[in-house]
Amino acid sequence: MHLNGDSMESPDENHEMLEAENSGVASRMIDLERKVLEQGDELVCLKATLAEALRRLGALEAGGGGMGGAHLSFCGRPNGVSPAREPVVIRQRPQSYSASKVDGGGGGGMGAARRQFGSGSALPQRRAVHYQSTGSLHSDSQSSSSVSPIPSPSPRATPLPINGKRSANLSSPSSTISNNSALHKRWSSTIDFNQVAQNGMQSKTREAVFNDEDKTLKFFLRGRPVVLHAPTALADGHDLAKVSRAPSRRLKLDWAYGYRGRDCRSNLYSLPTGEMIYFVAGVVVLYDVEEQSQRHYCEHTDDVRSLAIHPNKMLIATGQCAGHDRKDARPHIRIWDSVSLHTQAVIGINDFDISVCCLSFSKADGGALLVAIDEAPDHTISVWEWQKGEGGHKITETKCSVDTIVSAEFHPLDRNTIVTCGKSHIAFWSLDPNGTLFKRMGIFEARDKPKYVTCVAFLQTGETITGDSNGNLAVWGRGTNTIFKFIKGVHEGSIFSICVLKDGSFVTGGGKDGRIVEFGANLAMTGVVSEVEGHFGGIRVISEGRGSQLLVGTTRNCILNGTAQLSFSPIILGHTDELWGLAVHPTLPQFATAGYDKVLQLWDSMSKTILWSKDIGEQAQSVAYSSDGSRVLVGCLTGLWMVFDARTRELLARHRDGTEAIQAIAFSPDGAAVALGSRDGHVYVYQVSEDGGKYARVGRCTGHSSFVTHIDWSVDNQTLRSNSGDYELLFWNAGTCRQIPQSGLVRDVEWASNTCPLTFTTAGVWPENADGTDVNACDRSRRDADLLVTADDFGKVKLYSYPVIQTKSLCHSYGGHSSHVTSVSFLYDDTRVVSIGGKDTAVLQWTVS
């Protein structure tokens, strides 16, 4: 955890502790914001319904003949825009929408994450309600006079659906839909407002309906109707009552890339088995470097935040935080065997509030006791006889400190002594025979009292030694709360870790200066100093490895291995900020990732290593490989997108479309074109030169009333489909950049991919009463096209049989990620799946078997 040290501390270190202290208040504010958002959304929906009803009544009274006259007036205008339409849209739609982040705890909603871009508007403001040509050399008579869907009045970017895809089932099934009739349907109705008025918000719980006449499936996302046209081959005999079975194949976690060092400590150890143990996201990793193998403990339901090793070196205690779903992901402690990975005990399932941030087994009595700190506002300390009963026996619990606690350790020689430290304090606790804890605060006297006591360890003679945010060491007399030796200026900035070695000497690690300083058993500096390269980050934790080697965890989520006399080499490299971009190579077992840490990384799934890493200087939102795998495109938060050579890392081109995030990138199957979906609601289409070096804009697809989230190409390279943040599925002519308003006309198009989660073939991935942002990504297997994998807001990766056309479809569900899973994809040969977490920064690789 970065600490607020002296004035020399970096801005990240200064703010990290303050953020931790305010987490309790922030979580309550987030709950209130979520409630206000939901209530406001319902009110706006009702207002929009009333406004539309009043508008229709006014049109009937003024025209005297109903909607027929309105239709003639509409079609008679040059651009197909009704003069009575624009004022209504302006009244319904507010000028701007503020981004409201509703992420909390260890989990995070995709809806919240998607709304955090941009400074003032969560939805694009469309200047006209008709489609415009955007530089295309061709015309499309079918769509040139079509009107765009009515913008949504909802702050959650969820419109009252009106699209060509829904107009087909409103007309007579026995007649062919003409252009004029389609335009009439699109103009005259968004949804059946009479039905909404009768049912109100009860539509949220309505079941899906399949219309046998026009072969459409209608279901509801967050109370809003979604209509999907079934392909002819799947429409006949479609029965919603059937239950689709889960696939016979399953996923197994093969490799976990990454490490959580940015805000956790005391989470890297070497085990007698030769493995090192650490955690990332909700996975505890046991990694044998020499054998290049990993084992995984995956029983946690959300972020693992703390880790302790039993004195017998075999049992492990790990603590987690509260998750997105507080019912299934409550903070608790799990004690398990590092050999068999079998859980021995689950402790405190109803006793912790926020997160178990510190853990320590007692040493002097063979590990019979366990101390835990709850990262609640009062930082409660509790002591457990963990072997008693099914859930352990809590001996005592008391408020520890309103200030941040960064470490809690049992004394190795004094059975009933516990030392805690954190902001502006160190405390010595005594556990009496009656189970009561007594606290004595450490006395700094006239010495330089630090803002934070950042780490604690114990010398072999029983003295306590601490490091602080000023770079000083303090040695506390055994059994006392006073300092008998004070060593100033050991590091520049905070000392994050002290590791006492087997021979009685110890080493210290600095978070800012990246130095490792060695001391002898007599507390004298030996002069052996090693420095970790700055791009790996500051030193977060040091522990003993094999022989004389040291394991070093850094603040940039890296693990290094080496000795104080020699240099340190990386074992684990990972991302350090929210992770969004994932792309798989079309012909090799490789994939690329990019995120808010401005780093693009290319991974090899066979060797489980990073092939190369590049700082691109921009926060990334999306990644895509070209069809031949020679280039990597990266879409950024600012509308910028860049093209890199996949082999040399060379920057080949830079382009910009709009000022908002490029959220989806997809190459056509032949590689001659690329489509980019933006947060501004547009899909930009570019023609690609044969050598892949030049990109010429064909046009801009305009019609979505919210941000574009996913894009798919047809096999013949002629058609695009896209999903948006307001649960729309729209279709486009890729050559003209015009919308295809009657989605029934493209029901039998063969698609090269299925990354859009809102399609007929993925209808079954949406749970009952789903929020439209619950499913963040999906991908269809490439060779046999018989599997579909999804990523959701609840940290789950799910495997379905494809196509997923039954609303009641069973699946295999897998945990491991703690935050929202932002993307998932099959590798080129379908033997593996890769998923990435958002805030957990984890990259997980799964085998398909």
PDB file of all heavy atoms in Angstrom, residues 83-101:
ATOM      1  N   PRO A  83     -41.805  17.975 -39.128  1.00  0.00           N
ATOM      2  CA  PRO A  83     -41.620  19.251 -38.439  1.00  0.00           C
ATOM      3  C   PRO A  83     -42.090  19.219 -37.009  1.00  0.00           C
ATOM      4  O   PRO A  83     -41.666  20.014 -36.199  1.00  0.00           O
ATOM      5  CB  PRO A  83     -42.462  20.218 -39.287  1.00  0.00           C
ATOM      6  CG  PRO A  83     -43.472  19.343 -39.973  1.00  0.00           C
ATOM      7  CD  PRO A  83     -42.777  18.061 -40.225  1.00  0.00           C
ATOM      8  N   ALA A  84     -42.974  18.278 -36.676  1.00  0.00           N
ATOM      9  CA  ALA A  84     -43.454  18.204 -35.295  1.00  0.00           C
ATOM     10  C   ALA A  84     -42.575  17.344 -34.427  1.00  0.00           C
ATOM     11  O   ALA A  84     -42.829  17.184 -33.251  1.00  0.00           O
ATOM     12  CB  ALA A  84     -44.882  17.657 -35.271  1.00  0.00           C
ATOM     13  N   ARG A  85     -41.496  16.788 -35.028  1.00  0.00           N
ATOM     14  CA  ARG A  85     -40.737  15.789 -34.278  1.00  0.00           C
ATOM     15  C   ARG A  85     -39.627  16.393 -33.424  1.00  0.00           C
ATOM     16  O   ARG A  85     -39.445  16.056 -32.276  1.00  0.00           O
ATOM     17  CB  ARG A  85     -40.129  14.793 -35.276  1.00  0.00           C
ATOM     18  CG  ARG A  85     -39.482  13.590 -34.617  1.00  0.00           C
ATOM     19  CD  ARG A  85     -40.516  12.819 -33.894  1.00  0.00           C
ATOM     20  NE  ARG A  85     -39.937  11.718 -33.187  1.00  0.00           N
ATOM     21  CZ  ARG A  85     -40.511  11.116 -32.179  1.00  0.00           C
ATOM     22  NH1 ARG A  85     -41.696  11.500 -31.780  1.00  0.00           N
ATOM     23  NH2 ARG A  85     -39.928  10.111 -31.567  1.00  0.00           N
ATOM     24  N   GLU A  86     -38.861  17.309 -34.022  1.00  0.00           N
ATOM     25  CA  GLU A  86     -37.673  17.784 -33.337  1.00  0.00           C
ATOM     26  C   GLU A  86     -37.967  18.485 -32.006  1.00  0.00           C
ATOM     27  O   GLU A  86     -37.269  18.260 -31.032  1.00  0.00           O
ATOM     28  CB  GLU A  86     -36.859  18.690 -34.251  1.00  0.00           C
ATOM     29  CG  GLU A  86     -36.156  17.908 -35.350  1.00  0.00           C
ATOM     30  CD  GLU A  86     -35.194  18.774 -36.124  1.00  0.00           C
ATOM     31  OE1 GLU A  86     -34.063  18.966 -35.651  1.00  0.00           O
ATOM     32  OE2 GLU A  86     -35.602  19.260 -37.176  1.00  0.00           O
ATOM     33  N   PRO A  87     -39.006  19.331 -31.926  1.00  0.00           N
ATOM     34  CA  PRO A  87     -39.254  19.953 -30.613  1.00  0.00           C
ATOM     35  C   PRO A  87     -39.526  18.936 -29.521  1.00  0.00           C
ATOM     36  O   PRO A  87     -39.131  19.130 -28.390  1.00  0.00           O
ATOM     37  CB  PRO A  87     -40.483  20.832 -30.892  1.00  0.00           C
ATOM     38  CG  PRO A  87     -40.449  21.095 -32.364  1.00  0.00           C
ATOM     39  CD  PRO A  87     -39.889  19.857 -32.976  1.00  0.00           C
ATOM     40  N   VAL A  88     -40.220  17.830 -29.876  1.00  0.00           N
ATOM     41  CA  VAL A  88     -40.494  16.819 -28.857  1.00  0.00           C
ATOM     42  C   VAL A  88     -39.205  16.192 -28.359  1.00  0.00           C
ATOM     43  O   VAL A  88     -38.991  16.000 -27.181  1.00  0.00           O
ATOM     44  CB  VAL A  88     -41.436  15.737 -29.432  1.00  0.00           C
ATOM     45  CG1 VAL A  88     -41.639  14.630 -28.418  1.00  0.00           C
ATOM     46  CG2 VAL A  88     -42.775  16.360 -29.818  1.00  0.00           C
ATOM     47  N   VAL A  89     -38.300  15.876 -29.284  1.00  0.00           N
ATOM     48  CA  VAL A  89     -37.023  15.279 -28.904  1.00  0.00           C
ATOM     49  C   VAL A  89     -36.244  16.225 -28.009  1.00  0.00           C
ATOM     50  O   VAL A  89     -35.659  15.836 -27.016  1.00  0.00           O
ATOM     51  CB  VAL A  89     -36.209  14.926 -30.168  1.00  0.00           C
ATOM     52  CG1 VAL A  89     -34.824  14.439 -29.783  1.00  0.00           C
ATOM     53  CG2 VAL A  89     -36.942  13.872 -30.989  1.00  0.00           C
ATOM     54  N   ILE A  90     -36.264  17.496 -28.362  1.00  0.00           N
ATOM     55  CA  ILE A  90     -35.503  18.462 -27.563  1.00  0.00           C
ATOM     56  C   ILE A  90     -36.071  18.570 -26.163  1.00  0.00           C
ATOM     57  O   ILE A  90     -35.354  18.657 -25.183  1.00  0.00           O
ATOM     58  CB  ILE A  90     -35.516  19.836 -28.267  1.00  0.00           C
ATOM     59  CG1 ILE A  90     -34.732  19.736 -29.586  1.00  0.00           C
ATOM     60  CG2 ILE A  90     -34.934  20.913 -27.369  1.00  0.00           C
ATOM     61  CD1 ILE A  90     -34.829  20.969 -30.449  1.00  0.00           C
ATOM     62  N   ARG A  91     -37.394  18.511 -26.037  1.00  0.00           N
ATOM     63  CA  ARG A  91     -37.975  18.612 -24.697  1.00  0.00           C
ATOM     64  C   ARG A  91     -37.671  17.382 -23.867  1.00  0.00           C
ATOM     65  O   ARG A  91     -37.467  17.458 -22.670  1.00  0.00           O
ATOM     66  CB  ARG A  91     -39.493  18.796 -24.813  1.00  0.00           C
ATOM     67  CG  ARG A  91     -39.912  20.200 -25.240  1.00  0.00           C
ATOM     68  CD  ARG A  91     -41.380  20.402 -24.913  1.00  0.00           C
ATOM     69  NE  ARG A  91     -42.221  19.443 -25.598  1.00  0.00           N
ATOM     70  CZ  ARG A  91     -42.754  19.662 -26.794  1.00  0.00           C
ATOM     71  NH1 ARG A  91     -42.506  20.783 -27.448  1.00  0.00           N
ATOM     72  NH2 ARG A  91     -43.521  18.748 -27.346  1.00  0.00           N
ATOM     73  N   GLN A  92     -37.660  16.217 -24.514  1.00  0.00           N
ATOM     74  CA  GLN A  92     -37.461  14.994 -23.739  1.00  0.00           C
ATOM     75  C   GLN A  92     -36.016  14.807 -23.304  1.00  0.00           C
ATOM     76  O   GLN A  92     -35.746  14.248 -22.271  1.00  0.00           O
ATOM     77  CB  GLN A  92     -37.861  13.766 -24.563  1.00  0.00           C
ATOM     78  CG  GLN A  92     -39.366  13.659 -24.768  1.00  0.00           C
ATOM     79  CD  GLN A  92     -39.729  12.384 -25.456  1.00  0.00           C
ATOM     80  OE1 GLN A  92     -38.978  11.451 -25.435  1.00  0.00           O
ATOM     81  NE2 GLN A  92     -40.890  12.331 -26.062  1.00  0.00           N
ATOM     82  N   ARG A  93     -35.087  15.264 -24.118  1.00  0.00           N
ATOM     83  CA  ARG A  93     -33.683  14.927 -23.875  1.00  0.00           C
ATOM     84  C   ARG A  93     -32.986  16.044 -23.133  1.00  0.00           C
ATOM     85  O   ARG A  93     -32.957  17.177 -23.582  1.00  0.00           O
ATOM     86  CB  ARG A  93     -32.982  14.680 -25.205  1.00  0.00           C
ATOM     87  CG  ARG A  93     -31.583  14.128 -25.040  1.00  0.00           C
ATOM     88  CD  ARG A  93     -30.963  13.919 -26.404  1.00  0.00           C
ATOM     89  NE  ARG A  93     -29.645  13.331 -26.282  1.00  0.00           N
ATOM     90  CZ  ARG A  93     -29.405  12.053 -26.243  1.00  0.00           C
ATOM     91  NH1 ARG A  93     -30.397  11.222 -26.288  1.00  0.00           N
ATOM     92  NH2 ARG A  93     -28.168  11.591 -26.154  1.00  0.00           N
ATOM     93  N   PRO A  94     -32.416  15.788 -21.976  1.00  0.00           N
ATOM     94  CA  PRO A  94     -31.658  16.826 -21.273  1.00  0.00           C
ATOM     95  C   PRO A  94     -30.409  17.194 -22.054  1.00  0.00           C
ATOM     96  O   PRO A  94     -29.944  16.470 -22.921  1.00  0.00           O
ATOM     97  CB  PRO A  94     -31.297  16.153 -19.932  1.00  0.00           C
ATOM     98  CG  PRO A  94     -31.390  14.694 -20.212  1.00  0.00           C
ATOM     99  CD  PRO A  94     -32.433  14.526 -21.265  1.00  0.00           C
ATOM    100  N   GLN A  95     -29.835  18.352 -21.707  1.00  0.00           N
ATOM    101  CA  GLN A  95     -28.686  18.840 -22.439  1.00  0.00           C
ATOM    102  C   GLN A  95     -27.453  17.990 -22.236  1.00  0.00           C
ATOM    103  O   GLN A  95     -26.626  17.865 -23.104  1.00  0.00           O
ATOM    104  CB  GLN A  95     -28.388  20.292 -22.024  1.00  0.00           C
ATOM    105  CG  GLN A  95     -29.464  21.257 -22.461  1.00  0.00           C
ATOM    106  CD  GLN A  95     -29.610  21.299 -23.973  1.00  0.00           C
ATOM    107  OE1 GLN A  95     -28.628  21.378 -24.680  1.00  0.00           O
ATOM    108  NE2 GLN A  95     -30.837  21.211 -24.462  1.00  0.00           N
ATOM    109  N   SER A  96     -27.276  17.437 -21.062  1.00  0.00           N
ATOM    110  CA  SER A  96     -26.100  16.599 -20.812  1.00  0.00           C
ATOM    111  C   SER A  96     -26.417  15.634 -19.700  1.00  0.00           C
ATOM    112  O   SER A  96     -27.352  15.816 -18.942  1.00  0.00           O
ATOM    113  CB  SER A  96     -24.887  17.453 -20.434  1.00  0.00           C
ATOM    114  OG  SER A  96     -25.133  18.111 -19.223  1.00  0.00           O
ATOM    115  N   TYR A  97     -25.604  14.614 -19.647  1.00  0.00           N
ATOM    116  CA  TYR A  97     -25.734  13.602 -18.608  1.00  0.00           C
ATOM    117  C   TYR A  97     -24.416  13.496 -17.898  1.00  0.00           C
ATOM    118  O   TYR A  97     -23.379  13.323 -18.518  1.00  0.00           O
ATOM    119  CB  TYR A  97     -26.123  12.249 -19.202  1.00  0.00           C
ATOM    120  CG  TYR A  97     -27.427  12.274 -19.942  1.00  0.00           C
ATOM    121  CD1 TYR A  97     -27.463  12.277 -21.328  1.00  0.00           C
ATOM    122  CD2 TYR A  97     -28.636  12.313 -19.248  1.00  0.00           C
ATOM    123  CE1 TYR A  97     -28.666  12.310 -22.010  1.00  0.00           C
ATOM    124  CE2 TYR A  97     -29.837  12.328 -19.930  1.00  0.00           C
ATOM    125  CZ  TYR A  97     -29.850  12.327 -21.301  1.00  0.00           C
ATOM    126  OH  TYR A  97     -31.031  12.337 -21.966  1.00  0.00           O
ATOM    127  N   SER A  98     -24.445  13.534 -16.592  1.00  0.00           N
ATOM    128  CA  SER A  98     -23.195  13.392 -15.840  1.00  0.00           C
ATOM    129  C   SER A  98     -22.893  11.932 -15.642  1.00  0.00           C
ATOM    130  O   SER A  98     -23.781  11.131 -15.424  1.00  0.00           O
ATOM    131  CB  SER A  98     -23.305  14.076 -14.465  1.00  0.00           C
ATOM    132  OG  SER A  98     -24.342  13.491 -13.733  1.00  0.00           O
ATOM    133  N   ALA A  99     -21.602  11.598 -15.731  1.00  0.00           N
ATOM    134  CA  ALA A  99     -21.191  10.216 -15.504  1.00  0.00           C
ATOM    135  C   ALA A  99     -21.308   9.898 -14.049  1.00  0.00           C
ATOM    136  O   ALA A  99     -20.808  10.580 -13.188  1.00  0.00           O
ATOM    137  CB  ALA A  99     -19.748  10.015 -15.979  1.00  0.00           C
ATOM    138  N   SER A 100     -22.007   8.823 -13.752  1.00  0.00           N
ATOM    139  CA  SER A 100     -22.205   8.438 -12.352  1.00  0.00           C
ATOM    140  C   SER A 100     -21.593   7.085 -12.128  1.00  0.00           C
ATOM    141  O   SER A 100     -22.022   6.096 -12.682  1.00  0.00           O
ATOM    142  CB  SER A 100     -23.695   8.396 -12.026  1.00  0.00           C
ATOM    143  OG  SER A 100     -23.911   8.039 -10.711  1.00  0.00           O
ATOM    144  N   LYS A 101     -20.574   7.020 -11.308  1.00  0.00           N
ATOM    145  CA  LYS A 101     -19.846   5.769 -11.076  1.00  0.00           C
ATOM    146  C   LYS A 101     -20.473   5.036  -9.915  1.00  0.00           C
ATOM    147  O   LYS A 101     -20.577   5.558  -8.823  1.00  0.00           O
ATOM    148  CB  LYS A 101     -18.372   6.074 -10.794  1.00  0.00           C
ATOM    149  CG  LYS A 101     -17.513   4.839 -10.756  1.00  0.00           C
ATOM    150  CD  LYS A 101     -16.064   5.249 -10.665  1.00  0.00           C
ATOM    151  CE  LYS A 101     -15.176   4.043 -10.651  1.00  0.00           C
ATOM    152  NZ  LYS A 101     -13.773   4.355 -10.563  1.00  0.00           N
TER     153      LYS A 101
END
